[in-house]
Amino acid sequence: MINRYTVIGQPIAHSVSPDIHHVFGELSQRRIHYTRTEATPETFASVVHDWKRQGGLGCNVTMPFKQQALEVVDRIKPCAQRAGALNTIFMHKDGSLVGYNTDGSGLLADLRSTLSADPAGKRVLMIGAGGAARGVLGPLMDRQPEALVIVNRTVNKATKLAEQFDVNQTLSAVGLDDLSAQPAFDIIINATSSGLTGDELTLPASLIGTSTLAYDMVYSNQDTPFMAWARANGAPRVVDGFGMLVEQAADAFVIWQGVRPKTRLVYPRLVHLR
Ligand code: ATR
């Protein structure tokens, strides 16, 4: 039996999710056929339902439909509820659509397993307070960092997020102007959608310490402006979001197929994407 999945987004032509899931299929000896599907806000719901009617077993949902997708599914798992968005739909045998979010678990898997950078007990800075930030805050807070600071150009959006996720008073929101008063961070995560160019956003170099990990959630073959800023200011470890992309895909695969691919075996097979 061929197990059919797709990723729905706009634009979608450059998504590497099919490459990742096909390697997962080979390694777990499952026959996987994973495609890309373009939609618009007007067609998104019918695209999802058509996929199910055509025998698709599940789909991933990416920009800009992650929030809209909550309205399309029949059941929302707590991971997606908390994130306010979903990225994975499981098409249940009983005909229902079940929504999950694996972005946060994927980020944590990359930080903990691949990068040995568990946020537990660490000082973490999150740049940005939009959907990408909200999607990962719950799992980050679950690790009980010593402090998690959200900084955003529009500070009241950061404050709202902090109020929502501050379960143990370690989460705070600051404006860009307050950053220079902060001691260095162990982990700095860029969750803004746009590239952060020097012109648009100036971050103080004092945020970077001798062992800081600078992590851009965006997958990019070349340094993003955030990564370039971190490197230029001496961050010893600077990475893009490729690992998060692979790990969130592995967490979707386990929902669909019941096995989690050993991602450390997957990376060598995906070097052509780097
Ligand atoms: P996403 O769902 O990808 O997170 P979003 O909800 O539009 O997208 O949020 C984008 C985030 O990037 C926000 O934190 C935004 O800051 P504002 O809330 O102040 O708009 C941030 N962002 C986008 N462009 C930016 C820029 N040029 N400089 C600084 N922050 C920027």
Side-chain angles (χ1 to χ4, degrees):
M1 169 183 157
I2 297 194
N3 300 277
R4 293 176 57 238
Y5 301 99
T6 195
V7 55
I8 306 172
Q10 183 193 46
I12 201 63
H14 299 294
S15 169
V16 296
S17 291
D19 307 71
I20 296 172
H21 280 278
H22 287 142
V23 172
F24 289 172
E26 283 167 33
L27 288 176
S28 57
Q29 298 180 329
R30 311 284 163 115
R31 293 179 72 196
I32 303 294
H33 186 57
Y34 189 112
T35 56
R36 302 175 184 89
T37 304
E38 178 109 18
T40 65
E42 292 71 33
T43 64
F44 175 73
S46 59
V47 164
V48 173
H49 289 291
D50 286 349
W51 183 251
K52 185 177 82 174
R53 257 194 301 278
Q54 291 159 15
L57 298 181
C59 59
N60 283 130
V61 175
T62 186
M63 306 304 284
F65 303 122
K66 289 184 176 186
Q67 275 129 5
Q68 188 181 343
L70 292 174
E71 293 155 27
V72 174
V73 295
D74 303 299
R75 276 181 285 146
I76 301 171
K77 290 288 181 178
C79 54
Q81 197 79 56
R82 190 154 73 142
L86 63 79
N87 73 340
T88 302
I89 299 177
F90 174 63
M91 295 175 173
H92 200 278
K93 273 196 217 115
D94 69 8
S96 61
L97 302 177
V98 190
Y100 294 78
N101 195 310
T102 65
D103 285 331
S105 59
L107 170 67
L108 267 295
D110 192 33
L111 288 174
R112 297 179 66 193
S113 305
T114 309
L115 299 167
S116 300
D118 190 339
K122 299 278 171 31
R123 283 179 51 74
V124 181
L125 176 66
M126 168 77 71
I127 308 169
R134 183 177 171 186
V136 299
L137 268 178
L140 270 175
M141 287 302 287
D142 289 346
R143 294 307 303 155
Q144 302 190 337
E146 180 193 306
L148 200 162
V149 177
I150 307 174
V151 61
N152 197 44
R153 184 176 57 180
T154 315
V155 70
N156 69 337
K157 278 173 70 181
T159 309
K160 276 204 188 117
L161 267 191
E163 281 165 7
Q164 190 180 343
F165 284 91
D166 194 11
V167 282
N168 48 11
Q169 272 103 52
T170 51
L171 184 49
S172 55
V174 301
L176 289 165
D177 294 342
D178 310 317
L179 273 183
S180 48
Q182 290 282 338
F185 288 88
D186 300 301
I187 303 172
I188 304 177
I189 300 171
N190 178 31
T192 61
S193 48
S194 85
L196 298 175
T197 67
D199 291 345
E200 288 164 339
L201 182 63
T202 314
L203 298 166
S206 56
L207 298 178
I208 296 176
T210 50
S211 60
T212 299
L213 168 67
Y215 192 107
D216 201 321
M217 282 172 51
V218 170
Y219 157 49
S220 173
N221 277 327
Q222 56 207 31
D223 275 8
T224 63
F226 166 75
M227 291 165 70
W229 166 82
R231 250 187 250 288
N233 287 284
R237 289 205 296 168
V238 179
V239 297
D240 75 327
F242 184 69
M244 174 175 169
L245 190 65
V246 172
E247 299 297 339
Q248 63 79 29
D251 285 338
F253 195 87
V254 73
I255 290 165
W256 294 331
Q257 286 288 317
V259 288
R260 194 177 198 281
K262 289 195 172 62
T263 49
R264 88 192 137 69
L265 303 179
V266 170
Y267 288 107
R269 305 275 293 269
L270 295 173
V271 281
H272 59 287
L273 300 179
R274 307 300 288 141

